[in-house]
């Protein structure tokens, strides 16, 4: 990530593609879709490592995919350092509310 981000103006992590790459699990394949469970510690460590690499490079980073659109994961995404997600317009209010709730739980206004 450090080498890629040294030449980038911005970065966007595709959570679906990253998970499929790391675990060889295609969420659209009926034979392995049940294994598409993003609650894997190594997956979250990779996300955090990429965010830290973007911070070191001074490059803005965002996340897209199923994970970005899941209000239940917003707090965890914020905890690893994501501040921007890309989601369908109709999902924005729920994601914003989840972000507010995560900030309030953390003690921020």
């Amino acid at each position: 990530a450090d080498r890629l981000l040294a030449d980038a103006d911005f970065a966007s992590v595709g959570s679906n593609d990253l998970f499929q790459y790391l675990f060889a699990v295609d969420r659209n394949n009926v034979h392995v879709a049940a294994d598409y469970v993003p609650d894997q510690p190594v997956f979250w460590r990779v996300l955090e490592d990429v965010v830290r690499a973007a911070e070191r490079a001074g490059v803005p980073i965002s996340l897209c995919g199923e994970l970005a659109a899941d209000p239940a994961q917003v707090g965890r995404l914020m905890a690893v350092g994501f501040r921007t997600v890309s989601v369908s317009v109709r999902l924005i209010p729920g994601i914003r509310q989840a972000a507010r709730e995560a900030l309030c739980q953390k003690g921020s206004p």
Side-chain angles (χ1 to χ4, degrees), residues 3-21:
R3 284 184 271 164
L4 286 172
L5 291 167
D7 294 325
D9 294 325
F10 68 93
S12 180
V13 176
S15 63
N16 303 336
D17 293 335
L18 178 61
F19 194 87
Q20 185 173 344
Y21 175 79

Side-chain angles (χ1 to χ4, degrees), residues 17-37:
D17 293 335
L18 178 61
F19 194 87
Q20 185 173 344
Y21 175 79
L22 288 173
F23 298 103
V25 173
D26 181 358
R27 71 190 196 292
N28 296 318
N29 181 323
V30 295
H31 301 291
V32 294
D35 294 329
Y36 188 88
V37 180

Side-chain angles (χ1 to χ4, degrees), residues 35-97:
D35 294 329
Y36 188 88
V37 180
D39 196 23
Q40 306 287 340
V42 70
F43 179 66
W44 289 92
R45 280 194 301 273
V46 168
L47 289 175
E48 187 171 15
D49 288 348
V50 172
V51 169
R52 297 299 164 254
E55 289 172 350
R56 287 190 297 274
V59 173
I61 189 166
S62 65
L63 184 91
C64 63
E66 303 270 331
L67 199 62
D70 183 352
Q73 299 295 340
V74 169
R76 197 166 184 186
L77 290 169
M78 292 171 68
V80 298
F82 282 101
R83 298 295 177 260
T84 305
V85 294
S86 177
V87 299
S88 171
V89 171
R90 65 183 175 75
L91 299 176
I92 291 173
I95 298 300
R96 283 187 176 168
Q97 181 61 38

